[in-house]
Amino acid sequence: MGDPSDKPKYDRIRTRHYFAGGHIRAARLMASHCQESERLAVEAHQGGRPTIDYDVQSYAVCAIVESGAFVEARLNEIWLAAREPNRALTTSRLAGLDDDQIDAIRDLAGRKDSERKNVVSKLSDTLACVDKGSIDKELSPGRDVWGLTQLRNALVHFKPELQWDNEVHTLEEMLIGLVPGNPLMQKAKPWFPHQVLCAGVALWACEKSTELILDWEKALGLTSSYSTEHAMIIVEG
């Protein structure tokens, strides 16, 4: 048995952690719980009047918010890696990109106007700056994730508002053709927030955010995906 005093000693250890995968795993878990809770609620209220199930709503909120967080986290992983002064530290994270492409992403990420844009625009600008096309916000999954980010923002920064039953909510107009209906709410109003807080939308948020990021990684030329994580924890003793 070795002498503990022979162990190497360090003054400080620096680690970097990635969490895009953590966000989408959380989103999928919440969507799964939402689906099961909704199934039980539909069975219990079969043939009944429209109803709100707070468990279903809670799981749906978490899945929507975490799906949006996943997209932003994945973008941030690439942008911050491109801005790392010591490029050797981020070689695996940026594998597939050459030095000129990394420099272009670094310059984009450093611009003040970039931070104010919607995450879908940031993803699209990243492709454009390395001459890899752009994201069409009128087609799926770009259109879906654009709507998802607006929905996420509306929930996170919720502002009570008066809604007339004969008017179409802005989010309803944006999402009505993209998301499935709510079997518990049926056609009850208001559409927002109640109609979107259901299992179908929770699953949609997970699926479309993942689809967009996988498409983006492929178009960008990355050879490592968000699921390639190397976490390090520091244990004393």
Side-chain angles (χ1 to χ4, degrees), residues 86-106:
N86 186 350
R87 194 154 289 179
L89 295 176
T90 56
T91 300
S92 62
R93 186 61 45 175
L94 299 173
L97 303 178
D98 61 34
D99 287 342
D100 289 341
Q101 291 172 323
I102 295 173
D103 289 342
I105 295 173
R106 179 201 62 205

Side-chain angles (χ1 to χ4, degrees), residues 6 13 17 21 25 32 44-45 68 126 150 153 180 196 207 211 228 231:
D6 292 336
I13 298 176
H17 301 269
R25 286 192 295 272
S32 176
H45 294 87
T126 304
Q150 301 306 309
N153 290 343
V196 288
E207 291 168 2
E211 182 182 350
T228 308

Side-chain angles (χ1 to χ4, degrees), residues 187-207:
K187 294 185 179 180
K189 296 184 178 182
W191 191 88
F192 179 78
H194 302 302
Q195 286 287 356
V196 288
L197 297 182
C198 63
V201 176
L203 292 167
W204 163 84
C206 295
E207 291 168 2

Side-chain angles (χ1 to χ4, degrees), residues 18 76-84 87 90 93-94 102:
Y18 300 96
N76 289 338
E77 288 175 358
I78 299 304
W79 275 22
L80 291 175
R83 298 184 71 181
E84 169 60 53
R87 194 154 289 179
T90 56
R93 186 61 45 175
L94 299 173
I102 295 173

Side-chain angles (χ1 to χ4, degrees), residues 134-163:
S134 61
I135 294 173
D136 192 334
K137 301 181 186 71
E138 298 301 317
L139 297 176
S140 183
R143 181 184 176 193
D144 295 80
V145 177
W146 182 277
L148 167 62
T149 59
Q150 301 306 309
L151 174 59
R152 187 276 310 270
N153 290 343
L155 291 171
V156 171
H157 308 289
F158 192 89
K159 297 177 181 178
E161 57 184 316
L162 289 174
Q163 298 185 53

Side-chain angles (χ1 to χ4, degrees), residues 25-46:
R25 286 192 295 272
R28 289 169 182 158
L29 178 62
M30 294 299 103
S32 176
H33 286 317
C34 188
Q35 192 173 29
E36 178 60 15
S37 293
E38 185 177 277
R39 183 186 66 80
L40 295 174
V42 168
E43 288 180 0
H45 294 87
Q46 200 162 21

